[in-house]
C-alpha cells in the first residue's frame, strides 16, 4: 500500500548554498512545481517543501552531477512503499532473498522472515 502523494513533505538540504552553482536555477525549478525552498533560520541549511508527487518531479529534473545530491536527499526523504513480503514470496515460489531485497528495498532480516513464513518454516 503506497502512501498518498498529497502528503506535504519537507526535505532538509544541508549546506545548500555552498554545494550549488546557481541558487536562482534551483529556485526557478522549485517554483515551477509549486514547491517552496526556504532557509532554515540563519543556518546554512535550507528546507524544500512540497507534495510527494511534486518532489518526485523535481528529483527527475535534477540529473546534472552537481545537483545529484539534491535528488538523493529527496529520495531519502520520500516515504518508503510498504509491501506484503510474504505474499510476494508466496506468489513466486522460486523467489530468492537477494531478489526480494532488490525488488522491494526491504532489509535482509525482513526478506529472510518473509521467505521462511512462505515456506512454512516460521
Amino acid at each position: 500500500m503506497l502512501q498518498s502523494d498529497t502528503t506535504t513533505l519537507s526535505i532538509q538540504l544541508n549546506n545548500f548554498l555552498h554545494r550549488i552553482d546557481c541558487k536562482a536555477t534551483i529556485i526557478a525549478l522549485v517554483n515551477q512545481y509549486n514547491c517552496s525552498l526556504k532557509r532554515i533560520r540563519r543556518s546554512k541549511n535550507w528546507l524544500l517543501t512540497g507534495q510527494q508527487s511534486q518532489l518526485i518531479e523535481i528529483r527527475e529534473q535534477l540529473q546534472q552531477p552537481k545537483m545529484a545530491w539534491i535528488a538523493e536527499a529527496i529520495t531519502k526523504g520520500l516515504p518508503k512503499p510498504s509491501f506484503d513480503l510474504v505474499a510476494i514470496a508466496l506468489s513466486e515460489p522460486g523467489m530468492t532473498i537477494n531478489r526480494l531485497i532488490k525488488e522491494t528495498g526491504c532489509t535482509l532480516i525482513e526478506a529472510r522472515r518473509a521467505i521462511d513464513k512462505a515456506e512454512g518454516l516460521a
Side-chain angles (χ1 to χ4, degrees):
M1 179 176 170
L2 296 174
Q3 187 173 357
S4 171
D5 68 332
T6 59
T7 305
T8 300
L9 301 172
S10 295
I11 311 293
Q12 185 169 330
L13 302 175
N14 296 327
N15 249 351
F16 177 70
L17 289 179
H18 297 287
R19 296 174 77 179
I20 61 166
D21 291 333
C22 183
K23 177 177 88 170
T25 305
I26 300 295
I27 290 175
L29 177 65
V30 167
N31 289 337
Q32 177 182 348
Y33 290 100
N34 298 320
C35 294
S36 69
L37 181 64
K38 296 182 180 179
R39 189 173 182 179
I40 301 173
R41 293 181 290 287
R42 296 176 65 192
S43 72
K44 296 181 276 183
N45 305 329
W46 288 57
L47 200 63
L48 174 61
T49 305
Q51 294 181 352
Q52 183 176 344
S53 59
Q54 296 166 327
L55 293 173
I56 291 170
E57 293 284 336
I58 291 171
R59 179 185 65 186
E60 291 172 1
Q61 297 296 318
L62 298 171
Q63 298 303 320
Q64 301 159 351
K66 291 184 179 183
M67 306 217 190
W69 70 273
I70 298 173
E72 186 178 321
I74 291 171
T75 300
K76 287 180 182 177
L78 293 174
K80 294 184 180 180
S82 60
F83 297 98
D84 185 356
L85 300 176
V86 176
I88 293 171
L90 285 171
S91 69
E92 296 188 39
M95 176 71 73
T96 64
I97 290 174
N98 287 334
R99 185 168 155 217
L100 187 60
I101 292 170
K102 183 178 179 183
E103 290 181 7
T104 64
C106 67
T107 65
L108 178 62
I109 293 171
E110 293 169 335
R112 285 183 177 168
R113 283 184 188 146
I115 290 178
D116 285 348
K117 285 182 183 177
E119 294 175 347
L121 300 174

